[in-house]
Structures are given as C-alpha cells and as structure tokens.
Amino acid sequence: IPLALLSLFLFGAIFVTLMSKTSISDDEIAVQGLFGTKSLKWTEIGHASGRGYAMKLHSQDEDVSISISPRLPGYQEVIEFVGSKRPDLFSPREYGEIRRGLSSFIGVFFVMLLMVGISVAFIYATMESSDLSIDTYIPLLFFVGIALVIVVSTLSAPRSLTFEGNTMTLKYFFNEKIIRTDEVGFVQLNFTQSRNGRHYFIALNLTNRKTIRLTGLGISLPIAYLVLKNWHQGGSGTMRQPQNNIAPNWSDNSGK
C-alpha cells in the first residue's frame, strides 16, 4: 500500500507538471495549470520569494502568487525576462547580505560523521588480521578521499555575500575577499547536467578569467542571480517602462 500511494503521488506530480504552461507577454505573466490559470501584470507584482531553484511572484495584496519552476523549458529565459521587466524587485540595497543556507552545512556534517564511522569500523575489523598491507586500506583511502573533496569544496565556497555600493564582500570561513563591479566580466545562471537532472549555479566570471561558483544560498537561486546581475550593472532596481518586445510562451510539454 505505501508503494502504491507513493507511485500514485509521483504519477500525479508528473501529470500536473506536464499539464502546466507558462505564458509571458509584454504586459503580464500567466501560469496555466490543472485547476485553471493565474496571471499577474508586471505592475501588480509586489515582491518575489522562493527557495532552491524555484521563484514565486506575489501580488501586492498577496491574493495571487505565481511559481516559476526549474522544470519549465526555457526556465533561464523566463528568469531573465522577469528581471528585465521588474528589476526593482531585486535591488542589491534590499538584499544587503545573502547568506548560505544551513542545508549544505548539515550535509557536510553527516558526510564527516559517516566518514569517521566507516573509518573506525574498518580499522576495528582489520586490527586483528595478521595479513595487513597497503592494499587492504585502499578502499578506505578511496572513500576518505571522496569525502574530503566534498567537505573541502563545500567549506571553500563563500558563506555570505555583502553588497555596499560597487563593491561586494565574499566572506569565507577563514578569510574574505572584496570584489568591485569592474572586476566582474559577467554574471551567469548556469547548470551542470546529470542523470538526476540539471543542477543550477551562479557563475561570477571575473575579468582575470577566474570563475566563482555560488550555490546553496539561503534565498532562491534565481533571486540571488538577479540581485547580483543588478549589482554588476550598477542598477538601483528602478522599474523600467514596458518595452515593445513580446516574449514567447513556454510549456512543460512542448519543449520549445
């Protein structure tokens, strides 16, 4: 019964995703789902929120909210269009400091705990063996190496970003780095592809050809991306007037 309920839930989630459709025009953004259509004019949006890769747009009186899913074909283009229509929602002055979420540090804690547990168990199981060689410890060394790479890569990423004018301070666990807007070539919302889908990250491409990757932030990743983009462009988040371009429609079942 639990397996059947889980299968039914997954089937329903996939079905709802395939039936959803997002349309963007010069005047509004609309989401058509299984139970109807919700729309918001660009001038009616009060603020944005979200976690992970998703972003939600809220009306000023909080009676309508529209979610932008990372499973949407053209997801990155939709994020770019939202940022171009309402840059005032993503002002660096409003998001003065962006911190990393606790989820990444909790994951590192469990990896370290698992590494210590397996190491102790392995040593205890082999300590009474009379035939010990370096080959005996190769599996343990391989596992410890992978765990250390995960821990180091997580701890070496910035734990917070602070904006002040045209400078941004990246605070690490053991030091901090100050970057000016003229030291950044461009800001990009990028992804890596795996069997489990796309894993998005923010890439700060510096003029010295180095790249700083940002993930696991405490706010929605697309919101952080648009804030960083506004900071890099020196924008204060002033709302722009409607343009004459019309954006296409994206739907989860069209792939176009």
Short mmCIF file of all heavy atoms in Angstrom, two decimals, residues 176-227:
data_model
loop_
_atom_site.label_atom_id
_atom_site.label_comp_id
_atom_site.label_asym_id
_atom_site.label_seq_id
_atom_site.Cartn_x
_atom_site.Cartn_y
_atom_site.Cartn_z
N GLU A 176 38.22 36.64 3.75
CA GLU A 176 37.20 37.30 2.96
C GLU A 176 37.85 37.98 1.76
O GLU A 176 39.05 38.26 1.75
CB GLU A 176 36.41 38.31 3.79
CG GLU A 176 37.22 39.45 4.34
CD GLU A 176 36.37 40.40 5.16
OE1 GLU A 176 35.52 39.92 5.93
OE2 GLU A 176 36.56 41.63 5.04
N LYS A 177 37.03 38.23 0.74
CA LYS A 177 37.53 38.80 -0.49
C LYS A 177 36.58 39.92 -0.92
O LYS A 177 35.36 39.76 -0.88
CB LYS A 177 37.62 37.73 -1.58
CG LYS A 177 38.13 38.23 -2.93
CD LYS A 177 38.05 37.12 -3.98
CE LYS A 177 38.91 35.94 -3.58
NZ LYS A 177 38.89 34.88 -4.65
N ILE A 178 37.16 41.05 -1.34
CA ILE A 178 36.37 42.18 -1.81
C ILE A 178 36.49 42.27 -3.33
O ILE A 178 37.60 42.29 -3.87
CB ILE A 178 36.83 43.50 -1.16
CG1 ILE A 178 36.62 43.43 0.36
CG2 ILE A 178 36.07 44.68 -1.74
CD1 ILE A 178 37.11 44.67 1.10
N ILE A 179 35.35 42.32 -4.00
CA ILE A 179 35.32 42.37 -5.46
C ILE A 179 34.55 43.62 -5.89
O ILE A 179 33.46 43.90 -5.37
CB ILE A 179 34.65 41.11 -6.04
CG1 ILE A 179 35.47 39.87 -5.69
CG2 ILE A 179 34.50 41.22 -7.56
CD1 ILE A 179 34.86 38.58 -6.20
N ARG A 180 35.09 44.35 -6.85
CA ARG A 180 34.41 45.51 -7.41
C ARG A 180 33.66 45.10 -8.68
O ARG A 180 33.97 44.08 -9.29
CB ARG A 180 35.41 46.62 -7.73
CG ARG A 180 36.20 47.13 -6.54
CD ARG A 180 37.00 48.36 -6.92
NE ARG A 180 37.76 48.15 -8.16
CZ ARG A 180 38.99 47.65 -8.20
NH1 ARG A 180 39.59 47.28 -7.08
NH2 ARG A 180 39.60 47.49 -9.35
N THR A 181 32.71 45.93 -9.06
CA THR A 181 31.91 45.61 -10.25
C THR A 181 32.77 45.55 -11.51
O THR A 181 32.50 44.76 -12.42
CB THR A 181 30.81 46.66 -10.45
OG1 THR A 181 31.39 47.97 -10.43
CG2 THR A 181 29.77 46.57 -9.33
N ASP A 182 33.83 46.39 -11.58
CA ASP A 182 34.66 46.38 -12.78
C ASP A 182 35.59 45.16 -12.83
O ASP A 182 36.26 44.95 -13.85
CB ASP A 182 35.48 47.67 -12.87
CG ASP A 182 36.37 47.90 -11.64
OD1 ASP A 182 36.31 47.08 -10.70
OD2 ASP A 182 37.10 48.91 -11.61
N GLU A 183 35.64 44.38 -11.76
CA GLU A 183 36.44 43.15 -11.76
C GLU A 183 35.63 41.94 -12.23
O GLU A 183 36.18 40.86 -12.38
CB GLU A 183 36.99 42.88 -10.36
CG GLU A 183 37.97 43.92 -9.87
CD GLU A 183 38.44 43.64 -8.46
OE1 GLU A 183 37.60 43.29 -7.61
OE2 GLU A 183 39.66 43.77 -8.21
N VAL A 184 34.33 42.12 -12.46
CA VAL A 184 33.46 41.04 -12.91
C VAL A 184 33.14 41.25 -14.38
O VAL A 184 32.64 42.31 -14.77
CB VAL A 184 32.15 41.01 -12.08
CG1 VAL A 184 31.25 39.88 -12.57
CG2 VAL A 184 32.47 40.84 -10.60
N GLY A 185 33.44 40.25 -15.20
CA GLY A 185 33.13 40.34 -16.62
C GLY A 185 31.64 40.22 -16.88
O GLY A 185 31.03 41.07 -17.52
N PHE A 186 31.03 39.17 -16.35
CA PHE A 186 29.59 38.98 -16.47
C PHE A 186 29.12 37.97 -15.44
O PHE A 186 29.91 37.16 -14.93
CB PHE A 186 29.18 38.55 -17.89
CG PHE A 186 29.81 37.25 -18.35
CD1 PHE A 186 29.14 36.04 -18.22
CD2 PHE A 186 31.07 37.25 -18.92
CE1 PHE A 186 29.71 34.86 -18.64
CE2 PHE A 186 31.66 36.07 -19.34
CZ PHE A 186 30.98 34.86 -19.21
N VAL A 187 27.83 38.04 -15.12
CA VAL A 187 27.19 37.13 -14.17
C VAL A 187 26.28 36.20 -14.96
O VAL A 187 25.51 36.66 -15.82
CB VAL A 187 26.38 37.90 -13.11
CG1 VAL A 187 25.81 36.94 -12.08
CG2 VAL A 187 27.25 38.95 -12.44
N GLN A 188 26.33 34.92 -14.68
CA GLN A 188 25.61 33.94 -15.48
C GLN A 188 24.89 32.93 -14.60
O GLN A 188 25.43 32.49 -13.57
CB GLN A 188 26.59 33.21 -16.40
CG GLN A 188 25.96 32.28 -17.41
CD GLN A 188 27.02 31.64 -18.30
OE1 GLN A 188 28.21 31.63 -17.97
NE2 GLN A 188 26.60 31.11 -19.43
N LEU A 189 23.65 32.60 -14.97
CA LEU A 189 22.91 31.50 -14.34
C LEU A 189 23.14 30.27 -15.20
O LEU A 189 22.63 30.17 -16.31
CB LEU A 189 21.42 31.83 -14.25
CG LEU A 189 20.53 30.76 -13.61
CD1 LEU A 189 20.94 30.51 -12.15
CD2 LEU A 189 19.06 31.16 -13.68
N ASN A 190 23.92 29.34 -14.69
CA ASN A 190 24.35 28.18 -15.48
C ASN A 190 23.93 26.90 -14.79
O ASN A 190 23.36 26.92 -13.69
CB ASN A 190 25.86 28.22 -15.68
CG ASN A 190 26.28 27.62 -17.01
OD1 ASN A 190 25.58 26.80 -17.58
ND2 ASN A 190 27.44 28.02 -17.49
N PHE A 191 24.23 25.76 -15.41
CA PHE A 191 23.85 24.47 -14.83
C PHE A 191 24.81 23.39 -15.29
O PHE A 191 25.51 23.54 -16.31
CB PHE A 191 22.41 24.10 -15.21
CG PHE A 191 22.22 23.84 -16.68
CD1 PHE A 191 22.40 22.57 -17.23
CD2 PHE A 191 21.86 24.87 -17.53
CE1 PHE A 191 22.23 22.35 -18.58
CE2 PHE A 191 21.67 24.66 -18.89
CZ PHE A 191 21.86 23.39 -19.41
N THR A 192 24.86 22.32 -14.52
CA THR A 192 25.52 21.09 -14.92
C THR A 192 24.46 20.01 -15.07
O THR A 192 23.48 19.98 -14.32
CB THR A 192 26.58 20.65 -13.90
OG1 THR A 192 25.96 20.52 -12.60
CG2 THR A 192 27.70 21.68 -13.81
N GLN A 193 24.65 19.12 -16.03
CA GLN A 193 23.66 18.08 -16.31
C GLN A 193 24.12 16.75 -15.72
O GLN A 193 25.28 16.38 -15.85
CB GLN A 193 23.47 17.94 -17.83
CG GLN A 193 22.36 16.98 -18.24
CD GLN A 193 20.98 17.56 -17.99
OE1 GLN A 193 20.72 18.71 -18.32
NE2 GLN A 193 20.10 16.76 -17.41
N SER A 194 23.21 16.06 -15.07
CA SER A 194 23.48 14.74 -14.53
C SER A 194 22.27 13.84 -14.77
O SER A 194 21.26 14.28 -15.34
CB SER A 194 23.81 14.80 -13.03
OG SER A 194 22.65 15.15 -12.28
N ARG A 195 22.37 12.61 -14.33
CA ARG A 195 21.24 11.68 -14.50
C ARG A 195 20.05 12.11 -13.67
O ARG A 195 18.91 11.73 -13.96
CB ARG A 195 21.67 10.27 -14.10
CG ARG A 195 22.67 9.63 -15.06
CD ARG A 195 23.02 8.23 -14.63
NE ARG A 195 23.68 8.24 -13.32
CZ ARG A 195 24.04 7.12 -12.67
NH1 ARG A 195 23.80 5.94 -13.21
NH2 ARG A 195 24.65 7.21 -11.50
N ASN A 196 20.28 12.90 -12.62
CA ASN A 196 19.19 13.37 -11.76
C ASN A 196 18.62 14.72 -12.21
O ASN A 196 17.81 15.30 -11.50
CB ASN A 196 19.69 13.49 -10.31
CG ASN A 196 20.12 12.14 -9.76
OD1 ASN A 196 19.51 11.12 -10.05
ND2 ASN A 196 21.18 12.15 -8.96
N GLY A 197 19.04 15.20 -13.38
CA GLY A 197 18.54 16.46 -13.88
C GLY A 197 19.59 17.56 -13.86
O GLY A 197 20.80 17.30 -13.74
N ARG A 198 19.13 18.78 -13.97
CA ARG A 198 20.02 19.93 -14.00
C ARG A 198 20.28 20.46 -12.60
O ARG A 198 19.36 20.55 -11.79
CB ARG A 198 19.42 21.05 -14.87
CG ARG A 198 19.35 20.71 -16.35
CD ARG A 198 18.80 21.88 -17.14
NE ARG A 198 18.84 21.62 -18.57
CZ ARG A 198 18.48 22.49 -19.51
NH1 ARG A 198 18.04 23.70 -19.14
NH2 ARG A 198 18.55 22.17 -20.78
N HIS A 199 21.54 20.83 -12.35
CA HIS A 199 21.93 21.43 -11.08
C HIS A 199 22.42 22.85 -11.40
O HIS A 199 23.50 23.03 -11.97
CB HIS A 199 23.02 20.61 -10.40
CG HIS A 199 22.62 19.19 -10.13
ND1 HIS A 199 21.88 18.82 -9.03
CD2 HIS A 199 22.85 18.05 -10.83
CE1 HIS A 199 21.67 17.51 -9.05
NE2 HIS A 199 22.24 17.02 -10.14
N TYR A 200 21.61 23.84 -11.02
CA TYR A 200 21.91 25.22 -11.37
C TYR A 200 22.89 25.84 -10.37
O TYR A 200 22.94 25.46 -9.20
CB TYR A 200 20.62 26.05 -11.41
CG TYR A 200 19.73 25.71 -12.59
CD1 TYR A 200 18.73 24.75 -12.47
CD2 TYR A 200 19.91 26.34 -13.81
CE1 TYR A 200 17.92 24.44 -13.56
CE2 TYR A 200 19.11 26.04 -14.90
CZ TYR A 200 18.12 25.09 -14.77
OH TYR A 200 17.32 24.78 -15.85
N PHE A 201 23.63 26.83 -10.86
CA PHE A 201 24.55 27.59 -10.01
C PHE A 201 24.75 28.96 -10.64
O PHE A 201 24.48 29.18 -11.83
CB PHE A 201 25.89 26.88 -9.83
CG PHE A 201 26.67 26.69 -11.11
CD1 PHE A 201 27.60 27.64 -11.53
CD2 PHE A 201 26.48 25.58 -11.91
CE1 PHE A 201 28.31 27.49 -12.70
CE2 PHE A 201 27.17 25.41 -13.08
CZ PHE A 201 28.10 26.36 -13.48
N ILE A 202 25.22 29.90 -9.82
CA ILE A 202 25.56 31.24 -10.30
C ILE A 202 27.06 31.30 -10.55
O ILE A 202 27.85 30.92 -9.68
CB ILE A 202 25.15 32.31 -9.28
CG1 ILE A 202 23.64 32.25 -9.01
CG2 ILE A 202 25.53 33.70 -9.76
CD1 ILE A 202 23.21 33.13 -7.86
N ALA A 203 27.42 31.76 -11.73
CA ALA A 203 28.84 31.88 -12.08
C ALA A 203 29.22 33.35 -12.15
O ALA A 203 28.66 34.11 -12.96
CB ALA A 203 29.12 31.19 -13.41
N LEU A 204 30.15 33.76 -11.28
CA LEU A 204 30.75 35.10 -11.36
C LEU A 204 32.02 34.98 -12.19
O LEU A 204 33.05 34.48 -11.72
CB LEU A 204 31.08 35.63 -9.97
CG LEU A 204 29.91 35.97 -9.03
CD1 LEU A 204 30.43 36.42 -7.69
CD2 LEU A 204 29.02 37.04 -9.64
N ASN A 205 31.94 35.39 -13.44
CA ASN A 205 33.09 35.30 -14.34
C ASN A 205 33.90 36.58 -14.25
O ASN A 205 33.46 37.65 -14.69
CB ASN A 205 32.60 35.07 -15.77
CG ASN A 205 31.83 33.77 -15.91
OD1 ASN A 205 32.40 32.69 -16.03
ND2 ASN A 205 30.50 33.87 -15.89
N LEU A 206 35.07 36.48 -13.63
CA LEU A 206 35.91 37.65 -13.38
C LEU A 206 36.73 38.01 -14.62
O LEU A 206 36.91 37.19 -15.53
CB LEU A 206 36.84 37.38 -12.20
CG LEU A 206 36.17 36.91 -10.90
CD1 LEU A 206 37.21 36.72 -9.81
CD2 LEU A 206 35.10 37.89 -10.45
N THR A 207 37.21 39.24 -14.64
CA THR A 207 38.00 39.70 -15.78
C THR A 207 39.36 39.02 -15.85
O THR A 207 39.99 39.04 -16.91
CB THR A 207 38.19 41.23 -15.71
OG1 THR A 207 38.75 41.57 -14.42
CG2 THR A 207 36.85 41.94 -15.87
N ASN A 208 39.84 38.44 -14.74
CA ASN A 208 41.11 37.72 -14.76
C ASN A 208 40.94 36.26 -15.16
O ASN A 208 41.81 35.43 -14.92
CB ASN A 208 41.79 37.81 -13.39
CG ASN A 208 40.93 37.21 -12.28
OD1 ASN A 208 39.86 36.64 -12.53
ND2 ASN A 208 41.39 37.34 -11.05
N ARG A 209 39.76 35.94 -15.74
CA ARG A 209 39.43 34.61 -16.27
C ARG A 209 39.18 33.56 -15.19
O ARG A 209 39.08 32.37 -15.49
CB ARG A 209 40.51 34.12 -17.24
CG ARG A 209 40.68 35.00 -18.47
CD ARG A 209 41.68 34.41 -19.45
NE ARG A 209 41.79 35.26 -20.63
CZ ARG A 209 42.57 34.96 -21.68
NH1 ARG A 209 43.29 33.84 -21.67
NH2 ARG A 209 42.60 35.78 -22.71
N LYS A 210 39.05 33.99 -13.96
CA LYS A 210 38.66 33.08 -12.89
C LYS A 210 37.15 33.11 -12.72
O LYS A 210 36.50 34.10 -13.06
CB LYS A 210 39.36 33.44 -11.57
CG LYS A 210 40.87 33.26 -11.60
CD LYS A 210 41.47 33.57 -10.24
CE LYS A 210 42.98 33.38 -10.24
NZ LYS A 210 43.59 33.67 -8.91
N THR A 211 36.59 32.04 -12.19
CA THR A 211 35.15 31.93 -12.00
C THR A 211 34.84 31.54 -10.57
O THR A 211 35.47 30.63 -10.02
CB THR A 211 34.53 30.89 -12.96
OG1 THR A 211 34.81 31.26 -14.31
CG2 THR A 211 33.02 30.80 -12.77
N ILE A 212 33.90 32.24 -9.96
CA ILE A 212 33.43 31.92 -8.62
C ILE A 212 32.03 31.34 -8.74
O ILE A 212 31.13 31.98 -9.28
CB ILE A 212 33.41 33.16 -7.72
CG1 ILE A 212 34.82 33.75 -7.60
CG2 ILE A 212 32.86 32.82 -6.33
CD1 ILE A 212 34.87 35.04 -6.79
N ARG A 213 31.85 30.11 -8.24
CA ARG A 213 30.54 29.45 -8.31
C ARG A 213 29.82 29.64 -6.99
O ARG A 213 30.39 29.46 -5.92
CB ARG A 213 30.71 27.96 -8.62
CG ARG A 213 31.18 27.68 -10.02
CD ARG A 213 31.34 26.21 -10.31
NE ARG A 213 30.15 25.44 -9.96
CZ ARG A 213 29.85 24.25 -10.49
NH1 ARG A 213 30.65 23.72 -11.41
NH2 ARG A 213 28.78 23.60 -10.11
N LEU A 214 28.55 29.97 -7.09
CA LEU A 214 27.72 30.18 -5.90
C LEU A 214 26.53 29.24 -5.95
O LEU A 214 25.76 29.24 -6.92
CB LEU A 214 27.23 31.64 -5.84
CG LEU A 214 28.30 32.73 -5.82
CD1 LEU A 214 27.67 34.10 -5.91
CD2 LEU A 214 29.15 32.61 -4.56
N THR A 215 26.37 28.43 -4.90
CA THR A 215 25.24 27.53 -4.76
C THR A 215 24.83 27.47 -3.30
O THR A 215 25.53 27.96 -2.42
CB THR A 215 25.59 26.10 -5.24
OG1 THR A 215 26.71 25.61 -4.49
CG2 THR A 215 25.94 26.08 -6.72
N GLY A 216 23.70 26.83 -3.04
CA GLY A 216 23.27 26.59 -1.67
C GLY A 216 23.01 27.84 -0.87
O GLY A 216 23.24 27.87 0.34
N LEU A 217 22.53 28.90 -1.53
CA LEU A 217 22.29 30.16 -0.83
C LEU A 217 21.00 30.09 -0.03
O LEU A 217 20.12 29.27 -0.29
CB LEU A 217 22.23 31.31 -1.84
CG LEU A 217 23.50 31.51 -2.68
CD1 LEU A 217 23.28 32.58 -3.72
CD2 LEU A 217 24.68 31.86 -1.78
N GLY A 218 20.88 30.98 0.94
CA GLY A 218 19.72 30.95 1.82
C GLY A 218 18.45 31.47 1.17
O GLY A 218 17.37 31.31 1.72
N ILE A 219 18.57 32.13 0.01
CA ILE A 219 17.39 32.58 -0.73
C ILE A 219 17.34 31.85 -2.07
O ILE A 219 18.26 31.11 -2.42
CB ILE A 219 17.41 34.11 -0.95
CG1 ILE A 219 18.60 34.50 -1.84
CG2 ILE A 219 17.46 34.85 0.36
CD1 ILE A 219 18.60 35.96 -2.23
N SER A 220 16.26 32.06 -2.79
CA SER A 220 16.09 31.44 -4.09
C SER A 220 17.27 31.77 -5.00
O SER A 220 17.71 32.92 -5.08
CB SER A 220 14.78 31.90 -4.71
OG SER A 220 14.70 31.53 -6.07
N LEU A 221 17.79 30.76 -5.69
CA LEU A 221 18.96 30.97 -6.54
C LEU A 221 18.69 31.98 -7.65
O LEU A 221 19.53 32.85 -7.91
CB LEU A 221 19.43 29.64 -7.12
CG LEU A 221 20.81 29.68 -7.79
CD1 LEU A 221 21.90 29.83 -6.74
CD2 LEU A 221 21.05 28.43 -8.62
N PRO A 222 17.54 31.92 -8.36
CA PRO A 222 17.28 32.95 -9.38
C PRO A 222 17.16 34.35 -8.81
O PRO A 222 17.54 35.32 -9.48
CB PRO A 222 15.98 32.48 -10.05
CG PRO A 222 15.36 31.53 -9.10
CD PRO A 222 16.50 30.88 -8.39
N ILE A 223 16.63 34.49 -7.59
CA ILE A 223 16.57 35.81 -6.97
C ILE A 223 17.98 36.33 -6.70
O ILE A 223 18.31 37.48 -7.00
CB ILE A 223 15.75 35.77 -5.67
CG1 ILE A 223 14.28 35.49 -5.97
CG2 ILE A 223 15.89 37.07 -4.89
CD1 ILE A 223 13.40 35.42 -4.74
N ALA A 224 18.83 35.47 -6.14
CA ALA A 224 20.22 35.87 -5.89
C ALA A 224 20.93 36.22 -7.19
O ALA A 224 21.71 37.18 -7.25
CB ALA A 224 20.96 34.75 -5.17
N TYR A 225 20.63 35.48 -8.25
CA TYR A 225 21.25 35.77 -9.55
C TYR A 225 20.84 37.15 -10.06
O TYR A 225 21.69 37.93 -10.51
CB TYR A 225 20.84 34.69 -10.55
CG TYR A 225 21.05 35.09 -11.99
CD1 TYR A 225 22.33 35.25 -12.52
CD2 TYR A 225 19.96 35.34 -12.82
CE1 TYR A 225 22.52 35.64 -13.84
CE2 TYR A 225 20.14 35.73 -14.13
CZ TYR A 225 21.42 35.88 -14.64
OH TYR A 225 21.60 36.26 -15.94
N LEU A 226 19.55 37.48 -9.99
CA LEU A 226 19.09 38.78 -10.48
C LEU A 226 19.61 39.92 -9.60
O LEU A 226 19.88 41.01 -10.11
CB LEU A 226 17.56 38.79 -10.53
CG LEU A 226 16.93 37.83 -11.55
CD1 LEU A 226 15.41 37.87 -11.46
CD2 LEU A 226 17.38 38.18 -12.97
N VAL A 227 19.76 39.68 -8.30
CA VAL A 227 20.36 40.70 -7.42
C VAL A 227 21.81 40.95 -7.82
O VAL A 227 22.25 42.10 -7.93
CB VAL A 227 20.26 40.26 -5.95
CG1 VAL A 227 21.07 41.19 -5.05
CG2 VAL A 227 18.81 40.23 -5.49
#
